[in-house]
Amino acid sequence: MKRAACLLLCLAGCAQAAAPAASVRVGRYEIVGNGVTLQLSAPRADILRIRAAAGALGEDASWAVAAGIRATTQPLSVTEDAAGITLDTGQLRARIDRHSLHLRIEDAAGRVVFEDAPGTSLSFGRSPLAAAAPTLRLAMPDDAHYFGLGDKAGPLDRRGQSFALWNTDAGDFTPTTDPLYKSIPFLLVARESGSSAGLFVDTPWRSHFDFGRSERDTLVIGAEGGGVDCYVMTAPDPKGIVRAYAWLTGTPPLAPLWALGFQQSRYSYLDESAARGIADRLRAERIPADALYLDIDYQDRNRPFTVSKSAYPDLAGLVARLSAQDLRLVLITDPHIARAPDQGYAPYDSGLAQGYFVRGADGRPLVAEVWPGPAVFPDFTRPDVRSWWGGLYTDFVRAGVAGFWNDMNEPAIFQRRDKTMPLDAVHRIAEPGLAARDAGHAEVHNVYGMLNSRATYEGLLKLSPAQRPFVLTRASYAGGQKYAATWTGDNSSSWSHLRQSVPQLVNLSLSGFSLAGADIGGFAGSAASPDLLTRWIQVGAFTPLFRDHAAKEKPAQEPWVDGEAHTAIRRRYIEERYRLLPYLYALEEESSRSGLPLMRPVFLEFPSVLASGESLYFSQDQFMLGPDLLVAPPPDGESAGAYRIRLPGEGWYDYWTGQRVSGARLVETPRIDRLPVFVRPGTMLPRQGLVQSTRQRPQGPLQIDVYPGPDCGGQLYLDDGESFAYRNGDYLRQALHCRIGPQALAIDFDAREGRHRPWWTDITVIVHGQAGQPARIRLGTRTLAGDYDAAQGTLRIALPDLPAAASLRIETGATQR
Ligand code: MIG
């Protein structure tokens, strides 16, 4: 039985009464009906926040959205009539039915952004864990495609699937395993009709998202506790939604440059000589690399923050030796602390003395079995515990360890069917902005890993304030991108896993985590076949985090293990990764400001592909690296048969040959030494000379390849790659443009910003797709010579560095082939 809605109009500051007929402006609007309190506000005109609860609203709290953002309200204009209430931000309009509280949200053009499924509205049922648990039932328009939700497995488009969000150590996951390691309740909705929307359901509770699987055309979202706190976003294009989500939950910090280099890992390099051997071999084989990882076996009896004296007698010595080879060391540090009383194990002793561990229902520290045997778990919801945890890194940082790897932080626990803590474990919440209180594990579980990585990140910053931290986490929650890079956990050495990694990483990238990777070669399973490892290195070279890692029982999986023919191909792709660093680093820097990821679905750059009728077919296996490179791996690696590649439009260039490809539909016969990569017409792609590590200074000129086409341009960004000096002007930023005119191709360098001195003193511009020798090349008033290669259709021009605004004109009758 519905009881008539009782209206409460709450003006910002909240004292005024009844609603006049004409519209009024408020900061937050609140209405009560059917026992549900619904509150709407707009932190920005393009973002509507909806909070609701059975009864009164709970505390305004979040682990993902900063208090300042939650406190911000743009004016909502409120108009009431007999049937309902209309709230308008100028960019979003919410219509609430007075009696049912049915909610419908439109954009300024009147297109529906989100709407409760017909005949429904928000409801709260009882949950075993909380007094009331919310369910949203949203209409799914026919032409809507759903993305995001982190690295959930399965197809790129979430439509027709259902997922639980509950961080889980999902070892050996398959494309149908769910839940996985992370919980990122954010969705990007892209419609074939051209509109884009976002939905972020900010709940740490176990939740589920069913995309029309159990109820036709209905997106059912439920959580096991808490109220509703969600954000609806509108934007002219999908990129705008990604940016809005980043505005809400934060952008990733600018990673150190070395994090973009090739990283070699293994569970485990069992002792120092094994680790040294790998480093020596990387250099002997001339495989460019930046980092070596030590997995749990470097520790004494698997105890975090110890080092095995027998296996690694001199950690600082190893760091120094690696450093002399331009390699960095990354150490794993799991969150479980061995319960080892009276053994001089400081993390246990000091944590116990201060009451820093999660408690069991009996009030005593919860003890559970993980790698060290019986272990206890830091209560990361407390700031004092986080700062204590951060301090545990002191010796490692002093020894020169460059980065840290937070594994097992779902948290994973052995010998339990649910693989994690009992739900009656007790955490202490003591977060600014949240009421100080005890909370059961069910409410904290999904943020535990994020808070673990936050403690690590903040601790490293404190220990080494001039150094950009590098943290890699397995579990996380929305907003966790502010603290750590991530990987997709324990995949397997199979072709299907290589294929799965693309939609997984693309959705993870859309969900805020721009520095993400899958274990190259596959973690679990039997040995990667030579072809699989080669292909995976090729694809991995074009994904953000490029780390080769393998499980303990497996044969070696480093790039050289399959003989020289494979090594040569792998080396060539790793080398290409390093040549691309100027492009990659500029993308990385952009992501730290805007949240736009490095790895992107094709539709993010070309939303019209959604409406092309072929729908997502060619977005599933193909992906973009930044706005300019399209990577098209064979979908079925085992098949030697030809496969189709679809380019979004005509005029693209082959990355490897620089030649224009004809048409937008290609048929490719797989070859193990070639990964098809294409360059968008209109690209100015910066590349550097080969180095063996990002620590080395590239030799020779900066190379800028110009692929003429519409919207032609590129970006240069550079800084010292490791400190925060860029925040004080020690950076270099320069935009590049090109224009195809009737008589000339004009290549413009904008004036350079920042005071960082580049490593290059010269620039080589290579213009592709040139039909003939140019009549004249001018740089300002000077005439330059160019080197025209008729067979390749390229024109090569040597330039001095151009820090000031400069214009290069290539004069010819017809510049375009
Ligand atoms: O229970 O530290 O996902 O990358 O090598 C397995 C050992 C624990 C799981 C991680 C994997 C790592 C492994 N860890």
Side-chain angles (χ1 to χ4, degrees):
M1 278 272 98
K2 283 175 181 166
R3 90 183 148 73
C6 140
L7 293 188
L8 261 186
L9 179 64
C10 177
L11 299 166
C14 213
Q16 295 184 36
S23 76
V24 295
R25 288 154 84 79
V26 303
R28 295 181 202 274
Y29 182 85
E30 213 165 286
I31 178 171
V32 178
N34 303 328
V36 170
T37 306
L38 185 64
Q39 185 195 69
L40 282 83
S41 61
R44 276 187 354 191
D46 56 343
I47 305 177
L48 209 50
R49 181 179 183 200
I50 301 162
R51 295 184 62 213
L57 291 181
E59 63 183 328
D60 182 343
S62 170
W63 295 104
V65 182
I69 288 180
R70 283 181 285 115
T72 307
T73 55
Q74 302 301 321
L76 284 174
S77 75
V78 183
T79 318
E80 302 204 354
D81 54 43
I85 305 98
T86 304
L87 307 174
D88 201 333
T89 71
Q91 290 185 45
L92 282 167
R93 198 158 45 234
R95 174 76 187 165
I96 307 166
D97 182 280
R98 189 182 290 278
H99 301 289
S100 65
L101 298 195
H102 178 95
L103 179 64
R104 174 174 137 128
I105 299 171
E106 298 173 352
D107 66 13
R111 295 180 296 200
V112 177
V113 174
F114 282 102
E115 179 172 13
D116 287 324
T120 71
S121 61
L122 189 69
S123 67
F124 287 83
R126 299 196 69 77
S127 125
L129 297 165
T135 305
L136 296 164
R137 301 174 74 249
L138 302 171
M140 292 173 72
D142 279 354
D143 71 335
H145 300 281
Y146 298 81
F147 307 96
L149 222 60
D151 54 355
K152 294 298 195 181
L156 182 69
D157 186 348
R158 304 304 190 190
R159 200 174 177 113
Q161 307 176 70
S162 72
F163 303 93
L165 270 62
W166 184 252
N167 292 359
T168 301
D169 178 0
D172 301 356
F173 69 86
T174 71
T176 56
T177 304
D178 187 71
L180 297 179
Y181 305 88
K182 299 169 194 63
S183 296
I184 310 181
F186 164 69
L187 300 177
L188 163 64
V189 188
R191 307 263 310 254
E192 291 172 15
S193 55
S195 66
S196 305
L199 178 66
F200 171 42
V201 183
D202 190 3
T203 178
W205 293 82
R206 182 182 178 114
S207 59
H208 58 264
F209 284 70
D210 183 314
F211 296 85
R213 183 169 166 162
S214 42
E215 286 180 55
R216 183 187 307 255
D217 297 334
T218 306
L219 168 54
V220 182
I221 301 172
E224 289 191 352
V228 168
D229 188 1
C230 65
Y231 298 82
V232 167
M233 296 155 238
T234 184
D237 57 18
K239 274 188 182 170
I241 300 296
V242 173
R243 288 197 197 93
Y245 176 68
W247 180 80
L248 279 175
T249 62
T251 57
L254 181 56
L257 176 63
W258 66 261
L260 293 176
F262 178 63
Q263 314 190 8
Q264 184 60 57
S265 181
R266 154 121 208 138
Y267 171 29
S268 298
Y269 296 125
L270 289 174
D271 57 26
E272 180 172 334
S273 83
R276 289 164 65 151
I278 297 296
D280 291 348
R281 187 80 187 262
L282 283 164
R283 293 309 176 226
E285 296 278 355
R286 298 199 66 74
I287 306 276
D290 267 74
L292 197 67
Y293 281 58
L294 297 188
D295 207 321
I296 52 174
D297 296 292
Y298 78 88
Q299 305 168 122
D300 173 20
R301 286 164 287 169
N302 291 333
R303 294 180 177 182
F305 303 102
T306 66
V307 179
S308 158
K309 284 210 173 67
S310 52
Y312 285 90
D314 177 13
L315 191 72
L318 175 63
V319 169
R321 190 174 186 277
L322 293 175
S323 178
Q325 294 170 298
D326 296 324
L327 288 167
R328 275 137 170 126
L329 188 67
V330 178
L331 293 183
I332 199 167
T333 54
D334 287 351
H336 42 248
I337 296 294
R339 190 196 55 180
D342 309 321
Q343 297 176 32
Y345 178 45
Y348 179 73
D349 293 342
S350 65
L352 185 75
Q354 296 171 94
Y356 281 170
F357 301 126
V358 175
R359 286 163 290 147
D362 62 1
R364 307 230 301 269
L366 177 97
V367 179
E369 195 79 16
V370 208
W371 289 119
V376 292
F377 301 83
D379 197 3
F380 290 112
T381 38
R382 293 170 51 177
D384 51 351
V385 175
R386 291 200 296 271
S387 81
W388 161 82
W389 171 268
L392 298 177
Y393 289 92
T394 306
D395 291 346
F396 287 158
V397 168
R398 273 202 199 120
V401 178
F404 296 93
W405 176 16
N406 291 162
D407 186 21
M408 303 293 276
N409 51 5
E410 292 69 31
I413 289 178
F414 296 164
Q415 293 168 7
R416 283 182 55 89
R417 250 165 69 88
D418 62 7
K419 297 181 177 179
T420 195
M421 269 177 203
L423 297 184
D424 61 5
V426 182
H427 301 253
R428 181 75 190 161
I429 290 180
E431 183 71 4
L434 280 82
R437 61 189 164 90
D438 286 345
H441 185 63
E443 187 186 344
V444 169
H445 177 84
N446 280 343
V447 295
Y448 190 84
M450 173 174 82
L451 295 174
N452 170 216
S453 64
R454 174 175 171 188
T456 307
Y457 181 82
E458 290 172 349
L460 296 176
L461 260 189
K462 210 191 279 172
L463 289 171
S464 197
Q467 213 64 22
R468 296 179 217 161
F470 176 78
V471 181
L472 181 64
T473 190
R474 191 170 71 177
S476 202
Y477 178 69
Q481 67 270 13
K482 296 190 289 287
Y483 315 114
T486 191
W487 90 107
T488 55
D490 295 348
N491 61 0
S492 293
S493 295
S494 72
W495 289 103
S496 75
H497 265 276
L498 169 55
R499 183 178 196 184
Q500 173 70 83
S501 71
V502 170
Q504 261 190 308
L505 291 174
V506 165
N507 273 320
L508 190 50
S509 297
L510 290 174
S511 309
F513 282 81
S514 63
L515 194 53
D519 285 352
I520 304 290
F523 177 77
S526 45
S529 71
D531 280 3
L532 177 63
L533 182 56
T534 295
R535 192 64 92 199
W536 213 320
I537 287 175
Q538 293 172 336
V539 176
F542 293 89
T543 64
L545 189 82
F546 187 23
R547 187 183 73 135
D548 180 339
H549 182 53
K552 201 164 193 171
E553 320 75 44
K554 288 177 73 183
Q557 196 168 282
E558 289 80 25
W560 50 79
V561 296
D562 295 307
E564 183 47 35
H566 277 282
T567 307
I569 302 170
R570 297 168 187 172
R571 181 187 298 113
R572 190 149 54 70
Y573 278 79
I574 298 171
E575 287 177 352
E576 198 58 36
R577 164 82 171 204
Y578 277 77
R579 291 203 180 89
L580 268 173
L581 280 168
Y583 176 66
L584 291 170
Y585 195 53
L587 289 174
E588 165 66 26
E589 193 273 338
E590 181 191 16
S591 94
S592 74
R593 285 180 291 118
S594 70
L596 279 180
L598 282 73
M599 189 166 173
R600 307 174 182 181
V602 175
F603 76 80
L604 198 69
E605 293 301 323
F606 304 94
S608 62
V609 302
L610 289 166
S612 69
E614 290 165 293
S615 184
L616 292 166
Y617 161 68
F618 63 88
S619 302
Q620 168 87 31
D621 297 300
Q622 299 180 190
F623 62 94
M624 304 290 301
L625 180 58
D628 299 327
L629 299 184
L630 185 148
V631 184
D636 179 1
E638 264 159 321
S639 157
Y643 67 102
R644 295 190 295 170
I645 296 172
R646 298 293 162 83
L647 300 174
E650 309 262 324
W652 286 64
Y653 296 80
D654 183 299
Y655 176 82
W656 305 108
T657 64
Q659 303 292 308
R660 277 212 189 230
V661 296
S662 66
R665 294 159 173 262
L666 312 176
V667 174
E668 173 86 17
T669 303
R671 263 178 35 201
I672 194 59
D673 61 347
R674 171 180 153 85
L675 174 70
V677 179
F678 302 92
V679 187
R680 182 183 68 85
T683 294
M684 296 181 71
L685 186 68
R687 275 180 290 186
Q688 68 180 42
L690 183 60
V691 289
Q692 295 299 308
S693 157
T694 60
R695 248 226 204 114
Q696 299 172 359
R697 198 183 168 92
Q699 301 298 304
L702 175 74
Q703 179 176 323
I704 300 173
D705 284 83
V706 182
Y707 305 87
D711 301 321
C712 187
Q715 281 290 336
L716 300 180
Y717 177 82
L718 195 68
D719 58 27
D720 66 22
E722 55 189 355
S723 83
F724 293 99
Y726 69 91
R727 291 183 179 161
N728 301 312
D730 186 9
Y731 68 95
L732 177 162
R733 188 193 308 284
Q734 191 168 24
L736 315 171
H737 314 273
C738 91
R739 265 174 302 118
I740 307 168
Q743 267 107 48
L745 176 69
I747 296 178
D748 296 321
F749 289 72
D750 284 2
R752 198 169 279 174
E753 231 181 79
R755 60 158 196 276
H756 190 76
R757 300 275 301 275
W759 49 261
W760 62 85
T761 53
D762 301 279
I763 297 175
T764 300
V765 166
I766 300 174
V767 189
H768 296 268
Q770 296 305 288
Q773 182 84 43
R776 196 156 64 144
I777 303 170
R778 301 179 59 135
L779 178 65
T781 55
R782 280 167 57 198
T783 300
L784 299 181
D787 187 358
Y788 178 67
D789 179 334
Q792 298 297 317
T794 55
L795 176 65
R796 178 183 291 261
I797 304 163
L799 299 168
D801 187 28
L802 296 171
S807 184
L808 182 69
R809 286 176 62 83
I810 300 167
E811 296 174 5
T812 156
T815 53
Q816 272 215 268
R817 225 203 289 231

